[in-house]
Amino acid sequence: SKSRSNKESGEMDTDAVTLTGSVELNDVHSLQGVAAWRHTDEFALADFDGVAAFDVDSTRDQFEEQVSLELRLHSQWMDSLRSVFGIYYWDSEYQQDQSTRLPRFFGGPAVNPGDIEDVNRIFDHETTSYAIFGQVDLSVTDQLTLSLGGRWLKEEKKACGQEFTGFLGVGGIVNDVQSLSYGNCSDK
């Protein structure tokens, strides 16, 4: 559906691949693995005020890429005793770049009619996780199973962001530039 101002649009592209495999090692043990990759690009243009004039608009570019790997050893020791042990890896990278433009009167008095305030936000986030897990199930009766399991997880996260606010004059003059940042984005 189209908005009244006909300025809203968006696009999302996602590519994903998942591979699974299993091999019987012997009568007791089987090895199972899962590998997955996902890549998403998204663009959105939003018209916040709903009028045809260029007043309050925002654009947002987003990117995300994820990779996961899992390897599990399944064991059926006897009819009443089974176990699963495994390792897991996850890596995710996310980036967002958003720009919002609005008339200068929201940020203070306009120097000239038509002055625009431009707010840009950039956000980067990375996560890497490693896990080791296991579970043992003992069937005491047909209706009662005792389970013992655990998971060790190490997770590393890194996030950084920056926000820039500038005022664009009618003649292309930039003034009153302000900046705010957190985290360390220097290696981007």
Side-chain angles (χ1 to χ4, degrees):
S1 70
K2 294 189 176 191
S3 68
R4 287 187 293 155
S5 64
N6 217 12
K7 293 189 291 184
E8 290 191 19
S9 66
E11 182 177 313
M12 177 184 255
D13 294 316
T14 300
D15 298 310
V17 176
T18 302
L19 303 172
T20 60
S22 179
V23 62
E24 298 290 329
L25 300 175
N26 56 37
D27 291 343
V28 176
H29 305 291
S30 67
L31 197 58
Q32 296 179 350
V34 179
W37 169 82
R38 181 181 180 102
H39 176 96
T40 302
D41 284 310
E42 179 184 5
F43 173 79
L45 171 62
D47 176 19
F48 291 119
D49 59 8
V51 298
F54 176 74
D55 286 332
V56 183
D57 296 325
S58 181
T59 60
R60 184 182 68 241
D61 273 314
Q62 294 184 138
F63 155 84
E64 184 170 24
E65 187 165 86
Q66 302 170 342
V67 173
S68 65
L69 305 168
E70 184 173 338
L71 188 62
R72 298 183 305 265
L73 176 66
H74 291 264
S75 302
Q76 185 73 44
W77 300 98
M78 58 183 76
D79 287 343
S80 61
L81 182 62
R82 61 189 171 279
S83 64
V84 61
F85 292 95
I87 57 175
Y88 180 77
Y89 169 79
W90 165 271
D91 186 68
S92 174
E93 183 179 342
Y94 171 77
Q95 185 177 54
Q96 181 185 70
D97 184 355
Q98 180 171 324
S99 178
T100 303
R101 298 173 66 105
L102 50 142
R104 172 74 166 151
F105 60 80
F106 285 115
V111 177
N112 297 301
D115 285 356
I116 299 294
E117 179 178 0
D118 191 14
V119 180
N120 293 294
R121 292 179 183 93
I122 300 169
F123 178 73
D124 289 314
H125 184 263
E126 295 179 24
T127 302
T128 303
S129 299
Y130 308 90
I132 299 171
F133 58 91
Q135 180 172 320
V136 177
D137 296 322
L138 175 64
S139 297
V140 179
T141 68
D142 289 342
Q143 297 179 358
L144 177 64
T145 300
L146 299 176
S147 296
L148 176 65
R151 180 182 187 100
W152 171 84
L153 175 69
K154 179 180 181 183
E155 190 165 74
E156 300 167 358
K157 290 187 177 188
K158 184 167 115 178
C160 67
Q162 296 175 323
E163 180 174 306
F164 304 95
T165 303
F167 301 100
L168 309 175
V170 174
I173 300 168
V174 178
N175 55 34
D176 296 336
V177 174
Q178 302 170 9
S179 176
L180 169 70
S181 64
Y182 63 91
N184 183 3
C185 292
S186 62
D187 62 345
K188 293 287 175 194

